[in-house]
Amino acid sequence: MSTTLPSRPLDVASPGIVIAPVVPPRSALRPLGLGEVRITGGFWGDRQRVNAAHTLSHILGRLESEGWLPNFDLAAAGRLPAGRHGREFSDSEVYKFLEAAAWEIGRSDDADLERTFRDVVARVAAAQEPDGYLNTEFGRPGQQPRWSDLEWGHELYCLGHLFQAAVARERTRPGADDGLLTIARRAADLVCDVFGPDGIPAFCGHPEIETALAELARVTGEPRYGHQAALFVSRRGHETLRDIEWGRTYFQDDVPVRDAEALSGHAVRANYLAAGAVDVAVDTADEALLTSLRRQWDRTRGRRTYITGGQGSHHQDEAFGVDWELPPDRAYSETCAGIASVMFSWRLLLNDGDASYADLIERTLYNVVATSPSADGRSFFYANTLHQRVPGVVADPDGTSPRASSSLRAPWFEVSCCPPNVARTLASLDAYIATADADGIQLHQYAPAQIRTVLDDGRPVSLDVETVYPADGTIRVTVNDDAAGEWTLSLRVPQWAEGAHMAIRSGGELVDTHAVAPGVARVRREFRAGDVVELELPMAPRVVTPDPRIDAVRGCVAVERGPEVLALESTDVSGVDDVGDVCLVGDPAPFERDGRVWVRVGHRVVPSDRWPYRESTAPEVADADAVPLVAYHDWGNRGPSTMRVWIPTS
């Protein structure tokens, strides 16, 4: 097993200091941040290593070569709009890079990255105007006026990502003298002045600033920022923004947040708004709003989410469909929507402690977030289809893709929101592993890890997690210190893990073993140094059938193993270019061989006439053979291919 060990040692932080993206003032669970949890290897450790070694420098190089970072230099020199490059929201990608870099510096103390970080911040600072305004697309002679295009201008969206970068920096390097927090606060003060109760009674067409203002309020103690976040949430849904081709649903401006039944419209916008609304509800103790958001999460998960955890079934508007509208070959499932979904679910998990939220996070991390970057971390999927009907086209390694739809991973896009979003997520992933409460420690995601923290009453806890999950289902947690009194160690048992078992060993002797049901398995005892709690999750591949109301995949099945969705890729099927020409034959049960999961498929033989409708619907099947499946997150890494997750049974 490979390892990733940052040079900075773990701190035994106090309960009041949390180095994490989300730190609510009150919640059922307290997040354990980068000072308390370190991923040390395995599936996610490998991806963090690639992210740090390759992805961050790749993103910075493209921000430079595309002109998106030099836009700030032009602004500082008074040379805009001439020479500006990128879309109206390109500033946000610079800020997401800064956030990713801040989390990575917090993990690894990388001196070179620290110098790069400070250089980028200085270039951003030089472009800020005296009153705090900061944007390279609006507000200067020859450009549109400030705040003149709230539907599409993304000014507040960009500032939201600036604020999140500043929060990451302040939490990982409190009091740093680089000036980023000052830049963010000046801009936030301006936003509160311009859009406050007596200001412009509107909001940004792309939600994002809501979560950012809430977290900026938490890190600075400035209540105005939280009040502004609440104001933005309450204003939405009253048909304030101009109507557009796809309707105000696209902006979530058709129904007030607390009245919505499910997430709708643009999938990234919807999830960012929901995450921000949870922050507002928690900070204001608005239980009615939280109840509404739980209802929206539940219906969205149950009726508008792909088996991968992906969300968004419309290409034209990157949006949710209606209930059960989940066509695999038209799955947009934007990577950023997956990340935003994780943000929404994580906030509800912290507030409620319900393992269902962690289940969806796991599914989305393994099958959306992990799918986007290539193995070398230098190319990405923007959208994540579940059925590729034609082989993809190899992207020019020096080019910029004008399209987001899946083909093969591309090094950059004209709209490149996803690469830096993946980078900031992976860099901060340690903070999504575990939590604490007054009674003990909870593990939500499984990776080799070190956990060093204290319980709410001040007792230190030191745990080591050993696992090669998801290659294997054994998660072994070793307690390193004697405990002064009882406390509870809780381990999530995924919904799919029927038949899981738990064993407890003390002094090298087995003291208990028992079956555990999906949900949360708890061990309460007075732990001694060397005690081991071992969770065994069943990892046999399983056949999954869709709800019959999902018309697009009726008559098909999918195969999962652990948290991973598997796919049939033409690379593994001899004599077939299009996996749409095959179906399962005989017993659909998958089997394992040579470390892979296999199924039996046959080639469908259909009449050669050109009319696709006939009385008989049972095609002949020939050339049946066993073929291996590939983890969905690994598809497209071996060159152009066709692929499908849902496999027909006839």
Side-chain angles (χ1 to χ4, degrees), residues 19-21 31-34 37 39 103 346 427-435:
I19 307 171
L32 300 183
L34 275 62
V37 180
I39 297 172
W103 294 122
W346 179 246
S428 60
L429 194 60
D430 306 69
Y432 293 87
I433 298 296
T435 57

Side-chain angles (χ1 to χ4, degrees), residues 317-608:
D317 52 352
E318 302 183 319
F320 285 98
V322 297
D323 290 353
W324 318 115
E325 185 186 355
L326 295 165
D329 51 353
R330 295 298 295 165
Y332 198 68
S333 183
E334 184 181 338
T335 300
C336 286
I339 291 169
S341 169
V342 169
M343 292 169 59
F344 181 24
S345 296
W346 179 246
R347 284 162 169 78
L348 287 175
L349 173 62
L350 291 178
N351 189 76
D352 295 355
D354 187 335
S356 298
Y357 302 123
D359 280 348
L360 183 58
I361 290 172
E362 177 181 68
R363 181 174 293 275
T364 308
L365 287 175
Y366 278 102
N367 302 295
V368 178
V369 178
T371 305
S372 177
S374 60
D376 69 359
R378 295 188 178 98
S379 58
F380 310 86
F381 280 136
Y382 182 113
N384 296 278
T385 185
L386 274 67
H387 186 172
Q388 182 73 21
R389 290 183 175 273
V390 296
V393 177
V394 177
D396 177 356
D398 299 317
T400 297
S401 174
R403 292 175 297 278
S405 57
S406 294
S407 175
L408 287 176
R409 294 172 181 87
W412 203 248
F413 302 89
E414 290 184 356
V415 177
S416 256
C417 49
C418 296
N421 220 354
V422 169
R424 69 173 182 144
T425 302
L426 292 176
S428 60
L429 194 60
D430 306 69
Y432 293 87
I433 298 296
T435 57
D437 63 8
D439 191 47
I441 305 297
Q442 303 82 37
L443 293 183
H444 304 288
Q445 305 300 328
Y446 296 123
Q450 296 174 349
I451 299 174
R452 308 287 187 266
T453 189
V454 294
L455 301 180
D456 288 358
D457 59 11
R459 286 181 291 165
V461 173
S462 173
L463 305 174
D464 289 336
V465 182
E466 299 173 81
T467 183
V468 294
Y469 186 81
D472 180 86
T474 302
I475 296 97
R476 183 177 296 107
V477 183
T478 302
V479 180
N480 295 319
D481 300 313
D482 290 344
E486 293 184 342
W487 59 275
T488 303
L489 175 64
S490 302
L491 287 82
R492 179 179 60 91
V493 182
Q495 181 273 332
W496 48 262
E498 293 284 353
H501 282 78
M502 175 174 281
I504 304 167
R505 293 180 172 84
S506 184
E509 300 293 329
L510 181 67
V511 298
D512 182 49
T513 180
H514 58 276
V516 289
V520 177
R522 297 178 176 86
V523 178
R524 182 169 181 81
R525 60 186 281 116
E526 189 169 327
F527 287 98
R528 299 300 181 191
D531 282 1
V532 174
V533 176
E534 191 170 279
L535 178 64
E536 192 72 39
L537 300 176
M539 300 298 286
R542 53 192 189 276
V543 172
V544 178
T545 58
D547 188 292
R549 290 168 288 189
I550 307 175
D551 295 302
V553 290
R554 190 179 294 125
C556 297
V557 299
V559 179
E560 298 177 324
R561 182 182 180 276
E564 297 173 311
V565 173
L566 306 184
L568 180 65
E569 191 171 7
S570 60
T571 310
D572 297 309
V573 186
S574 61
V576 169
D577 294 325
D578 181 4
V579 291
D581 293 336
V582 303
C583 64
L584 293 174
V585 295
D587 185 353
F591 59 93
E592 295 183 89
R593 188 173 74 196
D594 302 327
R596 298 188 69 178
V597 176
W598 298 65
V599 293
R600 291 186 60 80
V601 302
H603 298 197
R604 289 189 287 195
V605 179
V606 297
S608 59

Side-chain angles (χ1 to χ4, degrees), residues 263-306:
L263 300 191
S264 60
H266 188 276
V268 183
R269 286 168 164 85
N271 274 290
Y272 277 159
L273 177 62
V278 174
D279 288 333
V280 167
V282 168
D283 290 353
T284 60
D286 189 338
E287 185 57 38
L289 180 56
L290 277 171
T291 297
S292 173
L293 291 162
R294 293 184 192 105
R295 180 179 67 246
Q296 293 173 48
W297 183 92
D298 191 60
R299 180 163 170 177
T300 301
R301 178 194 60 162
R303 301 186 179 197
R304 300 184 179 191
T305 299
Y306 284 98

